[in-house]
Amino acid sequence: VEQEKNDPDGSKGLVNIRAKAEVLQRYLVEQTSKEFVSLVVQVVRQAASNGESGNILRTKVSEEIGEHKAELLVPMFQLLVFFREVSMGIAQDGIVEKFRQWDVDGDGFISRPELKAV
């Protein structure tokens, strides 16, 4: 409820998720390379869509950067993909934009009359 008062349209949450993804991506690039981050993000997405376990993913990444580093970084790659997916889903769903359309008077709340108009 407090979050809704401070961020009624969810835009701050979206910005926070994107900011976290950017910071995490910078860290992963520092630990590996930009090309490797792109490659592993694709592998993580593919593994998730194929229902592969984290062990298979860790093995694939270990082959490239070593087992010790992979053990530490694979969860971070998974988190990066999660942040990206969530932020893209929110943006694609148009949640923030839809809220702004419904909040005709721009007060950060959708009143009964505004809701009835929808």
Side-chain angles (χ1 to χ4, degrees), residues 36-47:
F36 187 73
V37 169
S38 295
L39 173 71
V40 174
V41 165
Q42 289 176 350
V43 170
V44 169
R45 282 190 174 134
Q46 183 180 18

Side-chain angles (χ1 to χ4, degrees), residues 3 12-13 15 17 20 22 26 41 55 64 82 88 96:
Q3 171 70 23
K12 289 180 186 175
V15 169
I17 291 170
K20 289 175 183 176
E22 289 172 14
R26 278 195 302 270
V41 165
N55 292 334
E64 297 293 327
F82 173 76
M88 283 179 16
V96 174

Side-chain angles (χ1 to χ4, degrees), residues 64-82:
E64 297 293 327
I65 62 173
E67 189 174 326
H68 177 70
K69 211 169 188 180
E71 186 177 331
L72 297 172
L73 296 181
V74 165
M76 292 182 194
F77 280 108
Q78 290 171 312
L79 184 58
L80 175 62
V81 170
F82 173 76

Side-chain angles (χ1 to χ4, degrees), residues 97-110:
E97 184 58 37
K98 195 58 74 177
F99 182 92
R100 288 184 181 137
Q101 289 174 356
W102 294 352
D103 181 25
V104 177
D105 62 8
D107 67 353
F109 298 95
I110 299 175

Side-chain angles (χ1 to χ4, degrees), residues 1-13 16 107-109:
V1 174
E2 186 65 31
Q3 171 70 23
E4 291 174 8
K5 288 181 183 177
N6 295 332
D7 187 18
D9 65 1
S11 61
K12 289 180 186 175
N16 287 338
D107 67 353
F109 298 95

